[in-house]
């Protein structure tokens, strides 16, 4: 996982430094509100299925009409319940978990065509965002009887893959809708792969331990330009 992360970071930084400096430099400051869901070994397997609240702040440095450096901090609850799954084995098992995610992300937002904020005319464009994310969450486990227990604070890196559409709402206000999946470098957001450090955890592990957890933020952003 560490080697995958380093290779990914190398590609991202090479792309960032290879981009030319644009003539226009505009800043944006705003907020995000929407929903979150986890794709793991507990609960629903639907990829986009917001079932908890997510909110945070976003800052962008628009280096040209096609790309921006983007920074964000988002807080979200994370929940999963086997009762919501379409898989019969999960429904019969009956596990559930609750967690909190505190995400910090930095990277590049790239629009499919020019998004000119200085012309004064209405404009819109689809965009992609990726970069590097670090998030905090509660390390936890589920006992054989289905009891969920938190035991430590944990953190991990993730790769964000965000697709959105943004438009100017006025000369100073921009609105956007986006769906963003995060591939995490951990498999215990859902308490399925605990690493306690002071006792044997093999009896507490379940699910597919070859696949890490994903989490998804779906929502809207509003930002003011200056």
């Amino acid at each position: 996982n560490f080697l995958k992360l380093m290779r990914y970071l190398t590609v991202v930084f090479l792309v960032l430094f290879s981009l030319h400096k644009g003539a226009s430099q505009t800043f944006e400051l705003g907020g995000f509100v929407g929903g979150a869901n986890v794709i793991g070994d507990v609960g629903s397997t639907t990829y986009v299925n917001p079932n908890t609240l997510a909110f945070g702040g976003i800052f962008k440095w628009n280096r040209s009409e096609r790309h921006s450096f983007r920074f964000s901090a988002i807080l979200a609850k994370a929940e999963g319940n086997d009762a919501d799954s379409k898989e019969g084995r999960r429904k019969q098992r009956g596990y559930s978990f609750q967690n909190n995610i505190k995400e910090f992300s930095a990277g590049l937002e790239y629009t499919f065509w020019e998004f000119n904020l200085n012309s004064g005319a209405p404009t819109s464009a689809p965009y992609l965002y990726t970069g590097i994310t670090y998030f905090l969450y509660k390390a936890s486990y589920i006992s054989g009887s289905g009891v969920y227990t938190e035991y430590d604070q944990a953190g991990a890196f993730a790769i964000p893959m965000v697709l959105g559409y943004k438009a100017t709402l006025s000369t100073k206000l921009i609105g956007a809708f986006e769906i963003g999946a995060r591939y995490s470098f951990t498999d215990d957001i859902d308490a399925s792969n605990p690493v306690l450090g002071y006792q044997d955890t093999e009896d507490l592990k379940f699910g597919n331990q070859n696949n890490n957890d994903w989490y998804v933020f779906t929502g809207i952003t509003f930002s003011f330009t200056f």
Side-chain angles (χ1 to χ4, degrees):
N1 285 344
F2 179 76
L3 292 177
K4 290 180 181 179
L5 177 61
M6 293 307 298
R7 286 197 295 267
Y8 176 78
L9 284 174
T10 300
V11 172
V12 169
F13 285 127
L14 287 176
V15 171
L16 292 178
F17 285 112
S18 66
L19 292 169
H20 69 279
K21 181 178 179 180
S24 172
Q25 296 184 13
T26 303
F27 299 101
E28 295 179 41
L29 183 63
F32 169 90
V33 63
N37 67 280
V38 174
I39 307 168
D41 295 297
V42 178
S44 174
T45 56
T46 303
Y47 289 104
V48 181
N49 184 35
N51 60 355
T52 56
L53 177 65
F55 63 93
I58 292 179
F59 174 79
K60 298 180 186 180
W61 181 12
N62 299 308
R63 294 281 287 173
S64 77
E65 296 174 358
R66 296 293 299 273
H67 76 282
S68 307
F69 297 125
R70 168 171 158 168
F71 309 89
S72 63
I74 298 177
L75 306 178
K77 288 188 67 65
E79 295 181 356
N81 193 321
D82 283 343
D84 299 326
S85 176
K86 297 179 181 179
E87 296 183 5
R89 288 178 297 178
R90 292 195 181 190
K91 283 183 174 292
Q92 185 177 10
R93 183 181 61 187
Y95 283 177
S96 65
F97 76 93
Q98 294 182 344
N99 214 322
N100 293 303
I101 293 175
K102 301 176 183 178
E103 177 193 273
F104 307 92
S105 186
L108 179 71
E109 182 177 294
Y110 179 81
T111 59
F112 285 79
W113 54 75
E114 290 186 355
F115 190 74
N116 190 343
L117 297 175
N118 299 300
S119 66
T123 186
S124 62
Y127 62 88
L128 291 171
Y129 167 73
T130 190
I132 189 65
T133 288
Y134 187 78
F135 66 99
L136 302 172
Y137 65 100
K138 291 291 187 179
S140 54
Y141 64 88
I142 299 176
S143 67
S145 59
V147 177
Y148 173 79
T149 303
E150 296 177 351
Y151 65 88
D152 202 358
Q153 181 73 47
F157 285 97
I159 298 174
M161 291 165 276
V162 180
L163 176 64
Y165 193 89
K166 59 184 177 181
T168 54
L169 304 179
S170 70
T171 56
K172 294 292 184 180
L173 179 63
I174 299 171
F177 172 78
E178 65 180 41
I179 299 174
R182 278 76 167 169
Y183 172 75
S184 73
F185 287 85
T186 183
D187 188 33
D188 63 343
I189 299 176
D190 58 5
S192 67
N193 192 10
V195 183
L196 295 176
Y198 55 85
Q199 67 181 55
D200 184 15
T201 62
E202 290 303 316
D203 291 341
L204 298 174
K205 295 180 180 180
F206 60 90
N208 187 350
Q209 297 176 29
N210 294 319
N211 289 336
N212 289 343
D213 294 331
W214 295 69
Y215 64 95
V216 182
F217 291 157
T218 305
I220 57 175
T221 69
F222 292 99
S223 58
F224 291 92
T225 64
F226 61 96

